[in-house]
Amino acid sequence: MTSTAQVPPPGARTAHPDHLGHVIFIAAAAAMGGFLFGYDSAVINGAVEAIRSRYDIGSAALAQVIAIALIGCAIGAATAGRIADRIGRIRCMQISAALFTVSAVGSALPFALWDLAFWRIVGGFAIGMASVIGPAYIAEVSPAAYRGRLGSFQQAAIVVGIAISQLVNWGILNAAGGDQRGELLGVEAWQVMLGVMVIPAALYGLLSFAIPESPRFLISVGKEERAREVLKEVEGDRTDLKARVAEIELAMKSEHKSSFKDLLGGSFFFKPIVWVGIGLSVFQQFVGINVAFYYSSTLWQSVGVDPTDSFFYSFTTSIINIIGTVIAMIFVDRIGRKPLALIGSVGMVIGLGLEAWAFSFDLVDGKLPATQGWVALIAAHVFVLFFALSWGVVVWVFLGEMFPNRIRAAALGVAASAQWIANWAITASFPSLADWNLSATYVIYTIFAALSIPFVLKFVKETKGKALEEMG
């Protein structure tokens, strides 16, 4: 890319839209894909024990059924960038919504275990697509002055989806008399939990018709006039639209459609910047955050907590998750992405370390001793809080911003795919690891949280306040 393409026009970094509320609506609508991810991640939490009972399977097989959706996520994430470059960001969102709607119906009405697994893969593919398109689209339509906060909508949507699904699960469980396999609406309660996913999937699809296409994609397909209209819509009348279009065109002339081949280079297969993106994705998952959402009710029940109370604790964890995400949204553009990540890593080490200590004690009458039980519960909330105010948000913001224009779509796809694979590894391994040694499992997560600190210090560069055309 030439040096001319890297210099933003006057005001590009500080452009303030005239209708900020409309820009917020656009970002929130795109982030609905994150809501689907969050909802799907946590809704299965309410069905884990029912699936184990109905199909009479052990921990290893159960883990595969729960985690198999993440394989679909990885495939969807890996292919979404190319699809988006060919048919547009909005069309990608619509395909994702349609696939997720179909998968919700199929998951709610399975006739066999393999059928349930198949529909979870389909839903995973849809979520994987949305996980790539959401951050990329938001980064492309957001004014630089607001990009961090708007980019954090992706994680905000994820945590709200988690909280709402926990609340819906709790309501359905109570309606079924506290039994996950209790009859409700002619099927078992856990099937209703999965079927309700049709509602957010349909809403995502409808919202995709109400937001504009990315100006960068419009320019790439020759629709310059429409791109100017969108830029005016999101950056305001005071922005030099002609200069902004020229800047984007100049950047695009020095690049080509990103592909996997463009990511290759350097000493270790991929370009260094791609490895940094992969590293951020892997560390985000290897601290074990999704154990708190896929298995929290099962985890608490395993240390003696009543099933109804375990659902309540899962819900309170989700509220803490939302609070942490709001904190991140407030500070991500003020103090920067990198400081937040470091603060979060330190907090996660403390929370996870305390959980590992608490779970190292033997159960008494099927329960943890009182002191250790309270430490485990509080530490779990501390861990989720520090994750939410840091890595939960900043990784999505980083991935939407850090890559050069010429490789952004493909690099984001690879990084997001790595995130889903890491998520699968943690999700699929947790039941067996917990059966082996729950405390040691949390020691492993603590080690990864600690290793994330030198990784961020050495390899991650701050992206706060930079125009996308400056990356690289």
Side-chain angles (χ1 to χ4, degrees):
M1 186 181 297
T2 64
S3 58
T4 320
Q6 295 177 1
V7 179
R13 299 187 193 186
T14 56
H16 294 269
D18 299 320
H19 306 290
L20 181 58
H22 182 57
V23 178
I24 290 172
F25 168 78
I26 290 172
M32 270 297 295
F35 182 93
L36 293 182
F37 167 40
Y39 200 98
D40 182 71
S41 297
V43 75
I44 198 67
N45 187 22
V48 170
E49 294 306 310
I51 293 171
R52 186 200 299 268
S53 170
R54 175 163 174 170
Y55 297 105
D56 191 24
I57 53 177
S59 294
L62 176 68
Q64 294 306 318
V65 174
I66 303 305
I68 201 167
L70 301 171
I71 300 299
C73 289
I75 298 170
T79 57
R82 292 299 299 275
I83 295 172
D85 281 344
R86 287 173 181 260
I87 65 174
R89 282 59 165 153
I90 299 298
R91 191 68 67 198
C92 240
M93 294 179 195
Q94 292 163 356
I95 292 172
S96 173
L99 288 174
F100 196 84
T101 301
V102 172
S103 78
V105 175
S107 298
L109 302 171
F111 53 80
L113 187 62
W114 69 265
D115 185 47
L116 173 62
F118 170 77
W119 290 116
R120 284 189 56 71
I121 292 175
V122 173
F125 183 88
I127 292 172
M129 287 181 66
S131 75
V132 170
I133 299 308
Y137 174 86
I138 292 171
E140 290 178 351
V141 300
S142 298
Y146 294 95
R147 200 173 59 232
R149 278 164 285 183
L150 293 175
S152 65
F153 276 28
Q154 173 80 3
Q155 181 65 17
I158 291 173
V159 299
V160 170
I162 289 170
I164 290 180
S165 71
Q166 299 284 25
L167 188 60
V168 170
N169 279 1
W170 179 81
I172 292 172
L173 186 68
N174 278 281
D179 182 4
Q180 291 182 17
R181 295 199 60 190
E183 186 173 335
L184 195 64
L185 302 177
V187 294
E188 295 181 4
W190 68 274
Q191 294 176 267
V192 178
M193 293 177 187
L194 299 184
V196 169
M197 292 191 293
V198 165
I199 297 173
L203 180 60
Y204 181 42
L206 290 173
L207 286 172
S208 70
F209 287 97
I211 58 178
E213 181 55 84
S214 157
R216 282 173 175 78
F217 174 76
L218 290 170
I219 291 172
S220 74
V221 293
K223 297 182 179 179
E224 185 178 310
E225 189 57 39
R226 176 57 184 150
R228 289 189 187 190
E229 293 173 6
V230 175
L231 286 168
K232 180 179 179 181
E233 198 175 326
V234 299
E235 295 192 4
D237 290 327
R238 287 170 290 178
T239 300
D240 186 340
L241 298 178
K242 186 175 181 180
R244 285 291 288 126
V245 170
E247 175 198 7
I248 295 170
E249 286 181 328
L250 188 57
M252 293 176 69
K253 282 177 182 176
S254 62
E255 63 190 57
H256 58 280
K257 296 292 184 183
S258 57
S259 66
F260 185 81
K261 184 173 64 176
D262 298 317
L263 308 182
L264 306 182
S267 305
F268 300 99
F269 193 68
F270 285 127
K271 296 179 186 295
I273 189 67
V274 179
W275 279 118
V276 174
I278 291 171
L280 286 168
S281 290
V282 169
F283 274 117
Q284 188 197 53
Q285 295 303 316
F286 273 16
V287 297
I289 185 61
N290 281 309
V291 167
F293 302 121
Y294 286 113
Y295 297 113
S296 58
S297 63
T298 299
L299 172 65
W300 294 122
Q301 289 174 51
S302 73
V303 293
V305 176
D306 177 81
T308 304
D309 288 341
S310 72
F311 269 76
F312 174 73
Y313 292 145
S314 295
F315 178 66
T316 59
T317 302
S318 300
I319 297 303
I320 293 295
N321 200 11
I322 292 175
I323 292 171
T325 302
V326 171
I327 293 172
M329 292 174 71
I330 292 172
F331 289 105
V332 68
D333 277 329
R334 296 185 181 183
I335 69 173
R337 292 74 160 129
K338 191 169 178 176
L340 271 184
L342 293 169
I343 291 168
S345 292
V346 172
M348 289 191 296
V349 168
I350 294 170
L352 289 167
L354 287 172
E355 282 193 88
W357 172 81
F359 290 137
S360 69
F361 286 78
D362 293 330
L363 301 183
V364 178
D365 296 327
K367 297 184 178 182
L368 280 175
T371 300
Q372 284 72 28
W374 278 108
V375 168
L377 189 60
I378 294 170
H381 286 72
V382 168
F383 163 58
V384 170
L385 175 66
F386 276 94
F387 176 86
L389 65 80
S390 60
W391 284 75
V393 166
V394 299
V395 169
W396 290 111
V397 175
F398 267 130
L399 294 183
E401 294 179 337
M402 65 186 288
F403 301 115
N405 276 341
R406 65 184 180 277
I407 66 168
R408 179 170 294 117
L412 182 51
V414 168
S417 183
Q419 187 171 131
W420 293 118
I421 293 170
N423 191 341
W424 170 81
I426 294 298
T427 304
S429 64
F430 177 75
S432 298
L433 285 173
D435 286 348
W436 163 64
N437 190 316
L438 186 57
S439 177
T441 301
Y442 274 84
V443 168
I444 294 171
Y445 301 155
T446 305
I447 290 171
F448 279 111
L451 289 174
S452 70
I453 296 173
F455 174 80
V456 171
L457 288 171
K458 183 171 179 60
F459 297 111
V460 178
K461 295 181 180 178
E462 182 61 73
T463 58
K464 172 189 170 185
K466 294 183 179 179
L468 291 182
E469 284 68 36
E470 292 181 274
M471 304 302 174

